[in-house]
Amino acid sequence: MIGITARAGEYRRGLLRAAERLSPEEAAILSDLERHGLQVPQLRDVLRGGHVLVDDPRLYEAWRAGKGSHPRISSHHRDIDKKLYPDIGMRGHVVREKLHGRTAQGTWVQLEKTPAAFGGSKLPSLDDLRHLMDYVVYRFTGSNVGPWGLSRMTERHPMYLSPVLAMPTSLTPPVARSLTEALRRIEANDDVTAAAPQLAARFPPPDRPDLAGELGQALSGTAGRGLFGNSEVWVTQTPSPVAADVLREGREPPAASSWKAGGTS
């Protein structure tokens, strides 16, 4: 995912080299985000420090238990009880400093360019001063300073993954009847347009009394345009000379009889 994303857009140097040293803990975070709907184009903002909200509180505990995780002080989501749900940091080659915490509905996460260790009786370190410089950049540009660039996806304008938007409601009897009739017509048409209508007639769909009640239950987990979403597509394999000639000249492909036994030409 990182390799594909890095082909489009500008990043700070060293992203691909850092990706070669990706730790299992870093990979788990990116994998969890992908599982909750992250697409390759969106990964660009994540790597640049975009603020991400995921309506899944289980991620907070899973990432909190990861190797190298430690409590961190941050100014994000002040409405959360930080004693009960402290913000958690973790360092890595790609994430640099991963910071995550709880929200009222789930988990937030953000990658930072410079780790910080404010608090306690420790004197400010060089990293703390650099972190303050990143904050000044944020104040002037309105963009988060991530490990590999700047992102406009801030806490005020975050990226949402798997938002809980569904609200159960009941249908009025007339609407339910009309919807059920429409769904039955669709199923009947599916039988007629099947590849083998005679075979389809022998295996009719199950007679379900409440077709309308099944709406919204067909897709389990997350649904959308898939991992690659609006990604650009690159071809890295060597194209077949025969296929290239056919496409270029519009010729018919070679007849099957011209191929030798064993599948080689």
Side-chain angles (χ1 to χ4, degrees), residues 183 208 211-223:
L183 292 174
R208 299 182 297 276
L211 291 176
E214 296 182 3
L215 288 180
Q217 301 177 8
L219 297 176
S220 61
T222 58

Side-chain angles (χ1 to χ4, degrees), residues 9-45:
E10 296 295 329
Y11 295 89
R12 294 190 178 94
R13 290 184 176 181
L15 174 58
L16 293 180
R17 290 196 302 271
E20 294 175 356
R21 305 170 65 187
L22 188 74
S23 68
E25 293 74 26
E26 295 175 278
I29 293 170
L30 298 180
S31 177
D32 286 339
L33 292 178
E34 184 274 326
R35 182 166 50 86
H36 283 79
L38 181 74
Q39 299 174 3
V40 168
Q42 293 173 307
L43 179 59
R44 189 177 312 162
D45 271 295

Side-chain angles (χ1 to χ4, degrees), residues 85-209:
Y85 299 112
D87 295 334
I88 305 296
M90 185 194 76
R91 300 184 183 184
H93 297 290
V94 171
V95 302
R96 291 287 180 89
E97 173 78 350
K98 180 275 304 170
L99 185 62
H100 87 274
R102 270 296 305 267
T103 68
Q105 299 292 333
T107 306
W108 65 268
V109 63
Q110 180 177 316
L111 307 187
E112 297 182 341
K113 177 185 177 184
T114 310
F118 301 113
S121 58
K122 295 176 58 177
L123 293 175
S125 66
L126 183 59
D127 278 343
D128 292 331
L129 296 178
R130 289 171 176 166
H131 192 87
L132 287 175
M133 293 176 61
D134 293 343
Y135 177 74
V136 172
V137 173
Y138 161 75
R139 296 294 296 179
F140 273 94
T141 65
S143 300
N144 283 346
V145 181
W148 306 105
L150 302 180
S151 173
R152 304 289 292 183
M153 297 285 184
T154 63
E155 184 175 342
R156 293 185 177 183
H157 304 283
M159 177 191 303
Y160 287 94
L161 298 179
S162 300
V164 178
L165 301 177
M167 181 177 296
T169 183
S170 58
L171 298 175
T172 61
V175 173
R177 286 195 299 270
S178 176
L179 187 57
T180 299
E181 292 174 359
L183 292 174
R184 292 196 184 283
R185 287 198 302 270
I186 292 173
E187 283 197 343
N189 291 335
D190 286 343
D191 287 342
V192 174
T193 58
Q198 298 84 358
L199 185 61
R202 293 177 175 272
F203 299 93
D207 186 13
R208 299 182 297 276

Side-chain angles (χ1 to χ4, degrees), residues 219-243:
L219 297 176
S220 61
T222 58
R225 291 170 294 176
L227 171 62
F228 293 97
N230 295 327
S231 305
E232 298 181 37
V233 177
W234 291 269
V235 177
T236 57
Q237 294 86 357
T238 303
S240 164
V242 175

